Amino acid sequence: MRTISTRVSIAAAWVTALAFALGACVVGAVPAHAQDDDDRITWSVTPADASGPDQRGVIEQELDPGQTAEDFFAVRNSSRIPVTFQLNAADGYYNDNGRFNMLPSDRESVDAGTWIDLPDSVTVEPNATVVVPFTTTVPEDAVPGDHVAGIAASVLSTGTDDTGSQVGVESRVGFRVLTRVTGDIVASAEIGGVVTDYTLAWNPIRPGAMTASFDVTNTGNANVTVAGQVGAGTGVAAVGGDDGARQTLLPGETRRVEVVVPGVWPTFYVPVEITLVPEGFDLGGDAVPVEPITASATAWAIPVPQLLILFGLVLVIGALFWGRRRSRDRMAAALAAAREEGRAAAAQNHPSDDVPLPSGGSSPHQ
């Protein structure tokens, strides 16, 4: 259950606040002109059968081109006053966070939102529920595959903001309608536009992080959900956050995904591997496996802090080695000098005993 109420200062314009949940009832709460709780409007919109709300969170239907189907939804007014709700259908889409939404009222639908016919409004008494019928008519030339729309009940309110400007608020709550047009149904996806960026950790005993950004495109004609992981060197991270939640892509939709992979040591050249496992589904809710898709990239990761430490160690070792060598040379020089001094002193204290003979070589005793 979720409540969204948006108020924006504008002049003579309406602002739309949308509230949707995948497979769940959504309840809106919008204050009317007065702030009294008696004037607060709360309501919910859910799929239904002719007798009242049923167990469905979304409506899924499989129709042939040209076929018409009737279904129902229920509008529950939990307020203390009667409320007239505006009803509309519009094309659906998923936002960047993977949440379902429908086009605002100032944008024209071009697909499944135009196939749905329903009343313009419904009045519901306090704490009462009204079941509303609607029909879906698939055009004869409809493309086979999945087409998504939303049905919503809305309330309009006006007021002034703190600056005195007129404020308009349109708050809508509703649910998703999936129409699968029969034909050749293909579920497929591809990865493209991979960009990598390494963030260095200046603490040399901590690894850095790799950011991988890439596009995921639904290349088939059926809705697919994707999940997977990104591996970068020594790190790995799930696509879709820590819980690895699957994200839904409509046919032809491209979504930019960014995954931060922690625990990546800088090894100069880091390989990055993206692996996604798409899944289609049948309207019974069973998954239809699709071949995994992969993409590879690389990134430079220069270990600057580690290199600085290594360079410092080299300088220290070099200085130690040079100091020891100089000490050894000085010691050798001192020893050599001492030996020379020793020789000189010995020569002065012990003159030579050799006496030169007289010329002619005769002996004095002859």
Side-chain angles (χ1 to χ4, degrees):
M1 183 176 296
R2 182 175 50 169
T3 299
I4 296 181
S5 179
T6 302
R7 179 162 288 190
V8 180
S9 298
I10 54 176
W14 291 99
V15 177
T16 301
L18 300 178
F20 276 88
L22 301 179
C25 166
V26 183
V27 176
V30 180
H33 301 290
Q35 295 299 319
D36 194 320
D37 286 343
D38 289 342
D39 291 333
R40 185 173 293 274
I41 301 173
T42 59
W43 75 102
S44 63
V45 183
T46 61
D49 56 27
S51 61
D54 55 24
Q55 300 302 313
R56 294 176 296 173
V58 300
I59 289 179
E60 297 177 340
Q61 51 193 0
E62 186 171 18
L63 303 175
D64 297 327
Q67 184 179 355
T68 297
E70 184 179 68
D71 214 320
F72 303 89
F73 65 93
V75 180
R76 170 72 179 173
N77 178 16
S78 301
S79 314
R80 300 180 182 180
I81 58 174
V83 180
T84 297
F85 298 98
Q86 303 300 312
L87 306 177
N88 76 304
D91 291 348
Y93 67 95
Y94 287 88
N95 60 25
D96 292 339
N97 295 324
R99 295 185 178 276
F100 180 76
N101 214 329
M102 61 184 281
L103 294 180
S105 54
D106 60 351
R107 290 185 58 185
E108 184 177 359
S109 296
V110 296
D111 195 51
T114 65
W115 303 353
I116 297 174
D117 184 34
L118 72 171
D120 292 333
S121 63
V122 61
T123 299
V124 186
E125 294 300 316
N127 294 312
T129 300
V130 173
V131 174
V132 181
F134 72 95
T135 58
T136 303
T137 302
V138 179
E140 293 284 354
D141 59 351
V143 177
D146 292 343
H147 303 260
V148 181
I151 290 178
S154 62
V155 171
L156 307 179
S157 60
T158 58
T160 56
D161 61 11
D162 295 338
T163 65
S165 301
Q166 186 176 10
V167 173
V169 177
E170 178 188 20
S171 296
R172 304 190 294 182
V173 296
F175 61 91
R176 178 165 48 104
V177 179
L178 168 65
T179 302
R180 174 166 287 180
V181 179
T182 57
D184 187 17
I185 306 300
V186 178
S188 62
E190 67 179 18
I191 302 171
V194 180
V195 176
T196 58
D197 180 52
Y198 183 75
T199 301
L200 190 69
W202 287 101
N203 185 338
I205 61 173
R206 288 186 176 274
M210 182 71 72
T211 301
S213 302
F214 52 93
D215 293 326
V216 184
T217 301
N218 183 346
T219 55
N221 60 3
N223 291 356
V224 295
T225 62
V226 293
Q229 66 179 26
V230 177
T234 55
V236 63
V239 176
D242 295 337
D243 56 356
R246 304 190 70 86
Q247 298 192 40
T248 301
L249 293 169
L250 301 179
E253 182 182 0
T254 296
R255 186 172 303 155
R256 190 70 179 173
V257 178
E258 182 177 287
V259 178
V260 178
V261 183
V264 181
W265 288 99
T267 54
F268 291 97
Y269 192 71
V270 178
V272 178
E273 186 74 18
I274 303 168
T275 303
L276 299 181
V277 182
E279 281 187 355
F281 64 94
D282 59 30
L283 295 191
D286 294 329
V288 178
V290 182
E291 287 296 320
I293 54 177
T294 61
S296 300
T298 55
W300 289 105
I302 308 300
V304 176
Q306 292 82 1
L307 289 177
L308 290 175
I309 290 178
L310 180 61
F311 181 69
L313 289 175
V314 169
L315 289 179
V316 171
I317 293 172
L320 292 174
F321 178 78
W322 180 252
R324 292 185 62 183
R325 182 174 179 179
R326 290 189 61 186
S327 296
R328 189 169 54 249
D329 290 344
R330 286 196 298 267
M331 180 63 71
L335 291 175
R339 284 196 293 269
E340 289 299 326
E341 291 177 358
R343 291 193 189 97
Q348 292 177 358
N349 295 329
H350 303 283
S352 177
D353 293 335
D354 295 337
V355 177
L357 294 175
S359 60
S362 62
S363 172
H365 301 286
Q366 290 181 348

